[in-house]
Amino acid sequence: MVAHAEAPRGSLQHYFPGGKDQLIAEAVTWAGDYAARRVARVAAKIEDPTPGKLFAAMAAQWRDEFTTTGFDAGCPLVATVADTAATSESLREAVGKAFEGWQRPVAATLEQLGVPQARAASLAVLVLSALEGAIVLARAHRDIAPLDTVVTELRPLLDGAVDHRRRRTSTVD
């Protein structure tokens, strides 16, 4: 990595005194923050937003990525936890915090769309789990069908969670 950047050998230790684990933890934190910010951007673009449309839009980003650039890219959070969870407690914790940071805006957006708070939190877990699983399967099969399948199957469940008496009439922030 240092050679590729044509940086002095000691620069990694200078900027990341915790070594490779610190570098990876900071990258994971950035990726989690990026994913969290994307939730708001995606939600803002949805016409007549619903929980199912939110999930479909989140999956569509990966669908577009895979059809445009291929199946080599994946979620860095999943890759990090798969590679390091058993060997690095600090990286496992960093990934856990990144997922929590992504889960919160999903739950908040679901609430804004009329899902009761307690259900929004659990559905946010389901949304991220289904999305991440579909990403892994799509990459393994080099096929976007898993993304389409989870959207088709979860959309009615997500939309059915809306308490229409509580749904906010304002647009998603």
Side-chain angles (χ1 to χ4, degrees), residues 104-129:
R104 278 191 299 276
V106 171
T109 303
L110 291 172
E111 278 187 69
Q112 290 173 342
L113 295 173
V115 176
Q117 182 179 13
R119 186 106 193 262
S122 64
L123 286 178
V125 171
L126 180 63
V127 163
L128 295 186
S129 299

Side-chain angles (χ1 to χ4, degrees), residues 61-86:
Q61 293 176 317
W62 283 100
R63 188 180 210 285
D64 294 346
E65 169 94 14
F66 291 149
T67 57
T68 304
T69 63
F71 293 87
D72 294 337
C75 179
L77 303 181
V78 170
T80 302
V81 81
D83 289 345
T84 64

